Amino acid sequence: MLILNNDEIETLLSMDTTIEVLDKAYRQLANGEAVNRPRTDLYLPFPETSGVYAFKSMEAGLFDPKVVALRLNSDVIRWEDRGGRIVKDKLPKAPGGKWVGLVLLFSAETGEPLAIFPDGVIQAFRVAASSALAARYMARQDVTHLGIFGSGWQARAHVEAFCKVRTFEKVLVFSPTKANRESFAGEMAERVHLPVEPCADAERVAEECQVLVAATNAITRVIPPEWVRPGIHFTCVKTSELGDDTITRADRVVIHTRKIAPENYIAGMGDERVEAHDPIEFLNAADKQAVARPEVPPWINAPELHDVVSGKESGRSRPDESTCFVNNIGLGVQFAAVGSAVYEDARAKGLGREIPTEWFLESVHP
Amino acid sequence: MLILNNDEIETLLSMDTTIEVLDKAYRQLANGEAVNRPRTDLYLPFPETSGVYAFKSMEAGLFDPKVVALRLNSDVIRWEDRGGRIVKDKLPKAPGGKWVGLVLLFSAETGEPLAIFPDGVIQAFRVAASSALAARYMARQDVTHLGIFGSGWQARAHVEAFCKVRTFEKVLVFSPTKANRESFAGEMAERVHLPVEPCADAERVAEECQVLVAATNAITRVIPPEWVRPGIHFTCVKTSELGDDTITRADRVVIHTRKIAPENYIAGMGDERVEAHDPIEFLNAADKQAVARPEVPPWINAPELHDVVSGKESGRSRPDESTCFVNNIGLGVQFAAVGSAVYEDARAKGLGREIPTEWFLESVHP
């Protein structure tokens, strides 16, 4: 069994490959040749820490290649108010100040485990590649300016990914912290070989760009409805960055998956599944049922990404249409597709650390 | 991070310990100090093999110790007709003719992975220990004869476990294959220091014993309603071994969990969760909805095991009551409790293989 780290994955994985294997995986999903188990979050509230421990997991299987991937996150979470924006922070409590996110890959032919590796690089690649894949089928061909909100990992990956599906002349980045947006601009200009301008004025970014990407860790709105104008394409890494009024302002909406919230299981709440976006909000809510069964959003019946990728639905019908891709929640199939590509490439190049598969097998009949 | 194998776990784990840590875990569950994510099964039907690949997973977290356990199975499955009994078989397709079932243990304080080990020994122990735990609170004190149906791993573990909670004089075992029931009798007589009689006549076992345990791999009925008489306690490792009419014949029923079926996700069925016990039956069913939403069984509102263990419900009120424990589906909390006990004991005794925890951590902010 192969162990890989993020550095190795970064050398193995290209954004082009990520976009292409996802394109193939979404087609399989559309054709019933793949299966997802939606994300579930397990919560242990520890009031003494004013936070929770969360264990997230999702799985998916593909017919080609015949693999199953399990992606898990083992997170120590705190909620903080950063200048009026409520931000959920995951604390690096593991030894050496590290986080824990893993992908386990299995063969669907023999059942054996093939590899284990951290999810960080793939996570950034797959979210951005999915957004870019949507843009490939939804954005106008003649776009020139890319506007990015946020300056973290997700924002970096999104700039790189969007430059693979459209030819931009310039990138504008807004991030509330000056130092962040400036280091981001410097780094990204080199990576995508384009002028990248740091902007203190978010509205200017919205006015000058035909493609807007919200890739922040804010759980408050980033793109207001007024910014939605004819011909624009915009997207987000979570629905709270847009809000229903911004999403429904678009002439055409495509969503990543109809699953609107993870299925939460919370200690003290019994075996009932709680479909709340934020279990802390749920725990503090007076009317728990209202939070537990979130209102079905008005865009819920929009086509899913795999419908557009497979050609069952069109992504754009007119140049002056405003289009929105809601990258609302991740799918295991992304990790199965990208993870197996990374695994095969690592095998071909002889990268990674080998441990005996034997350790993870048993002669006990289940 | 610690790697353990089944041999090591067998030397570390005693049935007494298993029963006691489960007793403690069910009390935590009753008090809202533990959480389960119910089992989900992911299916990739491969018609060319007249079978499926199944990836099962379940998770649970405890407050004491602060751990989360993920249990997974990566199974290559075939359905076979064995002398009229339809038996689901899991084929050892992994290298060396092995199966794949794993438990991953995480710290809920730091998030770090603590250990990975195969599930086989713990699986047999935890199912049997839960049945025995129910018997501790439900069976009469004066029982003398234990009747066991089945001669596999589960049956062996059940005999051992039941002998921990009641003092039996004799064990009778029925299994359709002569060689199986005889080798079982020989082996178990040594293990529990009691006479163990192999019986070709299942009905005789039912007549002579006051405690009946169905621990087979049959998915057809093992214990008919006629065998339910005053004062008897009976149990199963899956509901199909009893059937609703046998279960409801008991004066008092306790179930393991109100969750009656795993949540199946099947390639080709879209994102819809299919709550069928048998996805193959589902795939072949004319009326898929009927199979997908199994009829709620008449015993569904019976107390759950944690209600009885925690004392919220009584297990038996009169000597002449017939009592039934439906060990209907596993819970992750069993693996969290037993797995963490095994882990702590292995640490104390310096057993297992150490691999760098560092390999499973990342410095990428999620």
Side-chain angles (χ1 to χ4, degrees):
Chain A
M1 193 177 71
L2 196 62
I3 306 284
L4 295 168
N5 61 38
N6 278 326
D7 293 340
E8 290 160 338
I9 292 170
E10 205 151 20
T11 65
L12 291 168
L13 190 59
S14 74
M15 190 56 79
D16 289 304
T17 302
T18 308
I19 292 170
E20 296 322 316
V21 297
L22 284 181
D23 198 302
K24 179 182 171 186
Y26 285 111
R27 288 172 198 276
Q28 289 187 66
L29 198 55
N31 299 333
E33 299 168 345
V35 62
N36 275 293
R37 194 267 290 172
R39 194 182 109 196
T40 50
D41 295 6
L42 198 74
Y43 284 94
L44 298 176
F46 296 130
E48 71 273 20
T49 68
S50 72
V52 300
Y53 167 81
F55 188 91
K56 293 195 268 176
S57 71
M58 56 172 119
E59 299 143 6
L62 295 172
F63 279 27
D64 178 25
K66 284 193 168 76
V67 296
V68 162
L70 163 73
R71 185 265 188 123
L72 66 89
N73 297 83
S74 178
D75 297 326
V76 177
I77 299 178
R78 303 288 180 272
W79 274 257
E80 293 171 6
D81 186 319
R82 295 210 189 130
R85 293 186 320 141
I86 296 160
V87 175
K88 182 170 79 172
D89 200 13
K90 298 172 182 175
L91 305 187
K93 290 286 193 185
K98 302 286 183 73
W99 290 275
V100 181
L102 295 168
V103 176
L104 283 70
L105 200 65
F106 295 83
S107 162
E109 290 174 290
T110 67
E112 70 191 278
L114 300 172
I116 302 182
F117 38 84
D119 70 343
V121 170
I122 292 176
Q123 162 66 4
F125 271 67
R126 63 106 193 187
V127 176
S130 300
S131 299
L133 198 53
R136 168 186 279 176
Y137 296 98
M138 298 180 73
R140 291 169 59 128
Q141 294 295 337
D142 62 358
V143 293
T144 57
H145 287 55
L146 171 64
I148 183 94
F149 301 87
S151 57
W153 259 88
Q154 292 283 22
R156 281 171 165 71
H158 276 72
V159 170
E160 190 179 351
F162 277 67
C163 289
K164 300 293 185 184
V165 298
R166 288 296 183 270
T167 309
F168 291 102
E169 294 166 9
K170 189 177 180 183
V171 178
L172 279 70
V173 56
F174 168 82
S175 181
T177 308
K178 188 168 190 290
N180 293 349
R181 61 181 180 255
E182 287 182 350
S183 61
F184 180 91
E187 187 189 318
M188 294 315 298
E190 277 188 25
R191 207 193 294 182
V192 298
H193 310 295
L194 282 179
V196 179
E197 182 186 345
C199 300
D201 175 4
E203 204 157 348
R204 218 194 94 220
V205 175
E207 283 161 8
E208 292 185 24
C209 302
Q210 307 90 22
V211 175
L212 302 181
V213 175
T216 70
N217 63 350
I219 59 177
T220 49
R221 191 170 66 189
V222 174
I223 299 178
E226 313 82 75
W227 295 359
V228 180
R229 60 179 196 275
I232 200 168
H233 175 72
F234 60 101
T235 190
C236 64
V237 297
K238 42 181 159 12
T239 55
S240 53
E241 295 175 310
L242 303 180
D244 291 346
D245 48 0
T246 297
I247 295 169
T248 53
R249 186 68 68 91
D251 299 315
R252 183 174 300 249
V253 177
V254 171
I255 63 181
H256 188 226
T257 165
R258 200 142 288 133
K259 188 81 190 167
I260 57 172
E263 299 177 349
N264 302 305
Y265 295 91
I266 307 173
M269 296 295 135
D271 295 340
E272 265 313 293
R273 189 170 59 239
V274 176
E275 298 203 347
H277 290 274
D278 180 348
I280 292 304
E281 176 196 21
F282 172 82
L283 290 169
N284 299 335
D287 178 358
K288 285 195 168 25
Q289 283 318 306
V291 181
R293 302 266 169 272
E295 212 174 285
V296 175
W299 43 264
I300 194 65
N301 292 318
E304 293 181 300
L305 180 56
H306 63 77
D307 297 318
V308 173
V309 171
S310 65
K312 291 182 180 176
E313 300 277 348
S314 77
R316 165 176 294 271
S317 66
R318 304 187 320 274
D320 66 348
E321 253 188 339
S322 55
T323 58
C324 171
F325 173 59
V326 182
N327 204 345
N328 57 320
I329 186 170
L331 291 175
V333 73
Q334 299 170 311
F335 290 94
V338 182
S340 55
V342 165
Y343 169 72
E344 283 162 20
D345 199 15
R347 279 285 180 219
K349 298 195 167 86
L351 277 184
R353 284 143 302 292
E354 199 74 51
I355 57 177
T357 302
E358 165 70 20
W359 288 356
F360 306 95
L361 308 179
E362 59 189 345
S363 30
V364 177
H365 191 300
Chain B
M1 193 177 71
L2 196 63
I3 307 284
L4 295 167
N5 62 39
N6 278 325
D7 294 341
E8 290 160 338
I9 292 169
E10 205 151 20
T11 65
L12 291 168
L13 190 59
S14 74
M15 190 56 79
D16 290 305
T17 302
T18 308
I19 292 170
E20 296 321 316
V21 297
L22 285 181
D23 199 302
K24 178 182 170 186
Y26 285 111
R27 288 172 198 277
Q28 289 187 64
L29 198 53
N31 300 333
E33 299 167 345
V35 62
N36 275 291
R37 195 266 291 172
R39 193 183 110 197
T40 50
D41 294 5
L42 198 75
Y43 285 94
L44 297 175
F46 296 131
E48 71 272 21
T49 67
S50 71
V52 300
Y53 167 81
F55 187 90
K56 294 196 266 177
S57 71
M58 56 173 117
E59 300 144 3
L62 295 172
F63 279 26
D64 177 24
K66 286 192 167 75
V67 297
V68 161
L70 164 72
R71 185 266 187 122
L72 66 87
N73 296 83
S74 178
D75 297 326
V76 177
I77 299 178
R78 303 287 179 273
W79 274 258
E80 292 171 6
D81 186 318
R82 296 212 189 127
R85 293 186 320 140
I86 296 160
V87 175
K88 182 171 80 174
D89 201 12
K90 297 173 182 175
L91 306 187
K93 291 288 193 184
K98 302 286 183 75
W99 290 275
V100 182
L102 295 168
V103 176
L104 283 71
L105 200 66
F106 295 83
S107 163
E109 290 174 290
T110 67
E112 70 191 279
L114 300 172
I116 302 183
F117 38 83
D119 71 342
V121 171
I122 292 176
Q123 162 66 5
F125 272 67
R126 62 105 194 188
V127 175
S130 300
S131 300
L133 198 54
R136 168 187 278 175
Y137 296 98
M138 298 179 74
R140 290 169 60 129
Q141 293 294 337
D142 62 358
V143 294
T144 57
H145 287 55
L146 171 64
I148 184 94
F149 300 88
S151 57
W153 259 87
Q154 291 284 20
R156 282 171 165 71
H158 276 73
V159 171
E160 189 178 353
F162 276 67
C163 288
K164 299 293 185 182
V165 298
R166 288 295 184 271
T167 309
F168 291 103
E169 294 166 7
K170 188 177 180 184
V171 178
L172 280 71
V173 56
F174 168 82
S175 182
T177 309
K178 188 167 190 290
N180 292 349
R181 60 180 180 257
E182 287 180 350
S183 61
F184 180 91
E187 187 191 317
M188 294 315 297
E190 276 188 26
R191 206 193 296 182
V192 298
H193 310 296
L194 282 180
V196 179
E197 184 186 344
C199 300
D201 176 4
E203 205 158 347
R204 219 194 95 220
V205 175
E207 284 161 7
E208 292 185 25
C209 302
Q210 307 90 22
V211 175
L212 302 182
V213 176
T216 71
N217 62 351
I219 58 177
T220 50
R221 189 170 65 188
V222 175
I223 299 178
E226 312 83 76
W227 295 358
V228 179
R229 58 179 198 275
I232 201 169
H233 175 72
F234 61 102
T235 189
C236 65
V237 296
K238 41 183 163 10
T239 55
S240 53
E241 295 175 309
L242 303 180
D244 290 347
D245 48 0
T246 297
I247 294 169
T248 53
R249 186 68 68 91
D251 299 315
R252 183 174 301 249
V253 177
V254 170
I255 63 180
H256 188 226
T257 164
R258 202 143 286 134
K259 188 81 190 168
I260 58 172
E263 298 177 349
N264 303 304
Y265 294 91
I266 307 173
M269 295 296 136
D271 294 340
E272 264 313 292
R273 187 169 61 239
V274 175
E275 297 202 347
H277 291 276
D278 180 349
I280 293 303
E281 175 195 21
F282 172 83
L283 289 169
N284 299 335
D287 179 358
K288 286 197 167 26
Q289 282 319 305
V291 180
R293 301 266 169 272
E295 213 175 284
V296 176
W299 42 264
I300 193 64
N301 291 319
E304 293 180 301
L305 180 55
H306 63 75
D307 297 319
V308 173
V309 171
S310 65
K312 291 181 179 175
E313 300 276 349
S314 78
R316 166 176 293 271
S317 65
R318 303 186 321 273
D320 66 348
E321 252 186 342
S322 55
T323 58
C324 172
F325 173 59
V326 182
N327 204 345
N328 57 321
I329 186 170
L331 290 175
V333 73
Q334 299 170 311
F335 290 94
V338 183
S340 55
V342 165
Y343 169 71
E344 281 163 21
D345 199 15
R347 279 283 180 222
K349 297 194 167 90
L351 278 184
R353 284 143 303 291
E354 198 73 51
I355 55 176
T357 301
E358 165 70 20
W359 287 356
F360 306 95
L361 309 179
E362 60 190 344
S363 30
V364 177
H365 192 299

